[in-house]
Amino acid sequence: MANVDDDVRNLMDAEMEEEEEEEVEQPKIGWIKGTGNAVKKVGGWGFKALSKGYNAVWGGKGASVDPELLAKVMATRHTAATKSGGIGCPDQTIVSDQRSLVGEVLKQMGKNILNGRDLMYVTFPVRCSMPLTVLQLVARQSSFGPKFLAAAAATSDPVERLKLVSTYYVAGLHCTTGFRKPMNPILGETYQAQMSDGTQIFLEQTSHHPPISSWYVTGPSNSYEFFGWVAYSAKFGYNKFKVDHRGPRVLKFADGGEITFNNPRDQYVNLFWGEIRHETLGTMRFEDKANKLECVVQFQPMKGLPSDVCNGYVLREGEEEPICSMVGSWLGFVDWDDKRYWDIKKDKPETPIDAPNPLPSDSRFRRDAILLAQSKNSEAQTAKTELEEAQRRDRRLRKQYAEEQ
């Protein structure tokens, strides 16, 4: 535990046993255990099919890791991917800065932080941030839209569409990662962007408490609409930082097809010691209710494989045998039935382009972000404080108005 103050270490040690017990006791509804046993899922997809979907990729109970699979995973990886799994931070200056900051926050707020207080309600100094807002980062979920969502809109095969949509999301996960905190948008703040194929992206901060970001995306020639909202919850754990994402994601296509899906969770491990890295964990479900199809993608650490490896399958309601199966890594590739759909070495993401003539409320006009990008941290902190105070004042006025009605 090098470079960790004694009082911070004592706070974290006091919570280690309690947190480990909590994680063991949490129900993992819909997950597949590492042994290959199925855990009952709420819904109509079937108990046996879950186990078969798992075994189709990993093998049965007690199966050892396929050396060919491990070799495939290690041969196609993000340059910053770590051996243990997840993406690492190659910039040690950022690592040092963030560890110092986390230590300060823990000492100031003490056990309240470790006992579960949501960090989305904690004000952090600007020096821990990147000069981008959450809205600008969320826009990057469209980085692979021109490749995969355009193809999904063009196909009439509902199974192929599910494979393309799930691949789009897995491939884009590494586009939104970072080891500096994005700046919290002000209520009513917006961001407008576009992609090379004509895709239009609109985002707005629609709630301050809880913080909620909403988006609406239209594909070229209105071939699809992608909309939803996300509410964030962030908490410290033992030597880690966990981020949950709540909210629906809906894709509607011009032919009437619709796919809804959820989001996995993120965690940053080894905040104080060890190799700091970002992991994506959990289970995603992509549902096509009209065609009674579900695609399940599982981000779950497996012994002998990096934690970023994922597996999945497409299942039809009422059937036990998966239609097709997937294996891959959000830091490398996606294969459906041994066919390569995405390869990080060959398929490059696009970065959303700032749209012309944005609203005055656009993120790119934030003075604190502009100053931070110029490395004027002191001025950026002052500008950030002014924005936050104005937001608190507006909130008091809204509350007062509501009470007077």
Side-chain angles (χ1 to χ4, degrees):
M1 300 185 185
N3 300 321
V4 184
D5 293 342
D6 289 340
D7 49 357
V8 173
R9 184 189 300 118
N10 291 338
L11 277 170
M12 300 192 73
D13 285 344
E15 295 301 313
M16 179 175 65
E17 183 176 349
E18 179 180 342
E19 179 178 300
E20 288 178 345
E21 290 176 356
E22 177 185 354
E23 290 185 351
V24 170
E25 293 173 358
Q26 279 183 337
K28 292 181 172 59
I29 297 174
W31 285 46
I32 305 299
K33 288 183 178 179
T35 59
N37 296 322
V39 179
K40 186 176 182 181
K41 176 198 159 190
V42 175
W45 301 103
F47 179 85
K48 293 181 180 178
L50 287 167
S51 182
K52 289 185 177 181
Y54 178 91
N55 292 336
V57 177
W58 301 117
K61 184 176 180 179
S64 59
V65 174
D66 182 349
E68 292 185 8
L69 173 58
L70 178 59
K72 180 193 291 188
V73 169
M74 301 310 292
T76 311
R77 288 179 71 65
H78 191 288
T79 54
T82 68
K83 185 177 180 180
S84 300
I87 194 166
C89 182
D91 190 332
Q92 291 304 306
T93 300
I94 294 178
V95 173
S96 178
D97 287 348
Q98 298 301 75
R99 283 178 171 168
S100 172
L101 174 69
V102 171
E104 288 178 23
V105 172
L106 282 173
K107 284 191 286 186
Q108 289 172 10
M109 306 201 68
K111 209 167 182 179
N112 287 332
I113 286 290
L114 295 175
N115 280 341
R117 180 173 178 183
D118 192 339
L119 295 174
M120 298 307 296
Y121 298 95
V122 176
T123 300
F124 287 87
V126 75
R127 74 174 191 276
C128 76
S129 300
M130 61 177 74
L132 295 173
T133 71
V134 168
L135 300 180
Q136 290 169 298
L137 209 59
V138 171
R140 294 184 180 182
Q141 66 184 352
S142 292
S143 295
F144 280 101
K147 178 176 177 64
F148 294 112
L149 293 188
T155 185
S156 59
D157 180 350
V159 173
E160 181 67 12
R161 179 171 283 175
L162 271 174
K163 291 194 288 185
L164 288 165
V165 170
S166 58
T167 300
Y168 147 79
Y169 201 81
V170 173
L173 283 170
H174 74 278
C175 300
T176 58
T177 189
F179 289 87
R180 289 198 186 277
K181 178 182 174 295
M183 305 182 86
N184 291 335
I186 301 300
L187 180 63
E189 184 175 327
T190 59
Y191 178 59
Q192 296 167 247
Q194 58 192 25
M195 306 300 288
S196 63
D197 65 347
T199 295
Q200 299 296 310
I201 304 169
F202 306 90
L203 300 104
E204 181 178 350
Q205 191 71 5
T206 50
S207 175
H208 176 50
H209 285 310
I212 296 176
S213 304
S214 302
W215 68 88
Y216 177 74
V217 178
T218 58
S221 303
N222 295 315
S223 55
Y224 67 84
E225 297 174 289
F226 177 33
F227 55 89
W229 55 266
V230 59
Y232 298 96
S233 175
K235 297 179 181 180
F236 275 123
Y238 183 74
N239 199 25
K240 62 187 174 184
F241 178 74
K242 299 174 284 188
V243 182
D244 288 321
H245 315 261
R246 294 182 295 106
R249 287 162 169 76
V250 182
L251 263 167
K252 287 189 174 182
F253 296 92
D255 62 5
E258 180 175 315
I259 294 174
T260 60
F261 56 100
N262 65 336
N263 202 64
R265 62 184 172 86
D266 294 308
Q267 70 175 18
Y268 291 81
V269 299
N270 300 329
L271 288 183
F272 284 104
W273 58 89
E275 182 182 33
I276 189 169
R277 50 195 174 88
H278 170 208
E279 295 181 315
T280 293
L281 303 169
T283 299
M284 291 192 72
R285 303 187 185 282
F286 300 80
E287 292 187 272
D288 179 348
K289 294 181 180 178
N291 291 293
K292 298 183 179 181
L293 293 169
E294 181 182 48
C295 171
V296 178
V297 178
Q298 301 167 99
F299 303 88
Q300 183 173 347
M302 291 291 299
K303 186 176 181 181
L305 290 171
S307 64
D308 48 85
V309 172
C310 57
N311 71 87
Y313 55 89
V314 175
L315 190 70
R316 192 179 303 277
E317 184 177 2
E319 297 180 3
E320 294 183 356
E321 293 292 338
I323 298 171
C324 53
S325 61
M326 180 270 275
V327 66
S329 159
W330 63 274
L331 292 175
F333 67 97
V334 169
D335 287 353
W336 281 99
D337 290 340
D338 296 323
K339 179 182 178 181
R340 182 62 49 97
Y341 273 62
W342 170 62
D343 189 311
I344 198 169
K345 293 185 176 181
K346 299 177 182 178
D347 303 310
K348 303 302 180 184
E350 288 190 26
T351 300
I353 306 164
D354 291 344
N357 304 314
L359 295 171
S361 53
D362 199 275
S363 292
R364 72 191 84 168
F365 297 136
R366 281 185 58 147
R367 187 164 176 269
D368 53 352
I370 294 171
L371 291 167
L372 184 61
Q374 297 171 350
S375 298
K376 297 179 179 179
N377 289 6
S378 179
E379 294 94 328
Q381 182 63 56
T382 299
K384 177 177 181 288
T385 301
E386 291 173 352
L387 275 175
E388 291 169 344
E389 289 177 349
Q391 180 168 234
R392 295 187 190 103
R393 182 175 62 252
D394 288 347
R395 187 183 185 192
R396 288 193 298 269
L397 290 173
R398 287 193 300 272
K399 182 179 180 181
Q400 179 182 341
Y401 177 79
E403 291 173 347
E404 292 174 350
Q405 298 308 303

